[in-house]
Amino acid sequence: ALPPAGLAADGLVNGVTFSTAVPDELAVASGDLQLWDASRHQPLGPAVTVAGTSPGGAAFSPSGSVLAAGFLDGTLRLYRVTAAGALVSEGPPRQASATGYVENVAYSPDGRLVATADDDDTVGLWNVADPARPRQLATLRGFGSYVFSVAFNRAGTMLAAGSADHTVRLWNIADPAHPRLLGGPLTGPANTVYSVAFDPVRPVLAAGSADRTVWLWNIADPAHPRRLGRPLTGPASYVYSIAFSPGGD
């Protein structure tokens, strides 16, 4: 018999992410933080529960050895992933958002940086080379409302973020301690931008919006992005998450 189609999470599911290093290892951020064997539909190790709060989003390091999670109390927490699938705290939480939630997190391709999408209208850029001692390098400002999504490009030199102010912004983070805003805000979506993603092959940035569309920009000249055609339509509700295939198709 086939296993059930879904995994039983503890409450509203705020985020899911697969490990790029361990096949079928899946982290689910809901009322708690739980690792799963997705192929067997079985939990791996005990769930992590933090009193008074829950995770908003999570991301594995490229090596799969660390899981970063943003919590609804505005904190960033990092966990070591054991071979048995347990999550072991790597130190005290760090306050990432001055108010509200950390909506989402993303790891840089080299595993040395984590970006946080914060409800205080900012993006936090953190050095996590030592996961037990995350160090904030920069706070990226300019949004007029909550930041819901963050993404690094494949080279790790650019960071994109999408906001409830209906815009996307791009930064050059070649020097992560001194990020540089690239051009003005990218506009077009008529509602919250919940998700952003870089094409891994071509110079294209995508954004998914609560206006039920996906927008594409050519970022070959990242200081002067060009909108690619009309937005993609079809979703019947908010576009909370988008992703390119590894080949960019």
Side-chain angles (χ1 to χ4, degrees):
L2 293 174
L7 307 179
D10 180 25
L12 177 70
V13 175
N14 293 315
V16 296
T17 182
F18 274 100
S19 170
T20 57
V22 181
D24 298 325
E25 190 169 72
L26 174 71
V28 177
S30 55
D32 54 27
L33 195 58
Q34 175 74 65
L35 296 187
W36 291 80
D37 181 324
S39 63
R40 298 186 179 188
H41 289 223
Q42 293 179 346
L44 297 170
V48 170
T49 301
V50 177
T53 188
S54 54
F60 283 99
S61 65
S63 68
S65 61
V66 180
L67 185 74
F71 279 74
L72 305 191
D73 63 356
T75 59
L76 169 68
R77 300 167 191 256
L78 290 103
Y79 299 89
R80 178 167 47 86
V81 181
T82 71
L87 295 172
V88 179
S89 178
E90 281 281 28
R94 297 295 193 269
Q95 197 67 38
S97 183
T99 57
Y101 306 168
V102 174
E103 297 284 354
N104 220 327
V105 296
Y107 254 101
S108 65
D110 66 4
R112 298 182 65 84
L113 301 174
V114 163
T116 58
D118 303 330
D119 272 4
D120 62 2
D121 309 349
T122 70
V123 173
L125 198 57
W126 298 77
N127 182 320
V128 294
D130 180 354
R133 296 174 178 80
R135 182 167 52 89
Q136 189 161 13
L137 296 175
T139 300
L140 312 182
R141 306 182 187 277
F143 289 109
S145 190
Y146 300 167
V147 182
F148 278 100
S149 53
V150 284
F152 291 90
N153 71 336
R154 192 172 191 173
T157 56
M158 278 194 290
L159 180 72
S163 169
D165 72 2
H166 309 178
T167 69
V168 176
R169 283 171 166 79
L170 276 171
W171 286 269
N172 179 315
I173 56 164
D175 178 356
H178 301 93
R180 181 166 53 85
L181 185 64
L182 292 167
L186 307 186
T187 59
N191 208 324
T192 297
V193 176
Y194 277 119
S195 50
V196 290
F198 285 95
D199 186 313
V201 177
R202 294 164 296 189
V204 173
L205 177 70
S209 172
D211 68 5
R212 302 182 294 179
T213 64
V214 174
W215 296 72
L216 299 172
W217 289 270
N218 181 314
I219 55 169
D221 179 355
H224 302 92
R226 289 188 299 106
R227 195 181 298 168
L228 290 172
R230 299 179 63 83
L232 308 180
T233 59
S237 188
Y238 299 172
V239 182
Y240 280 115
S241 183
I242 54 175
F244 288 93
S245 69
D249 300 327

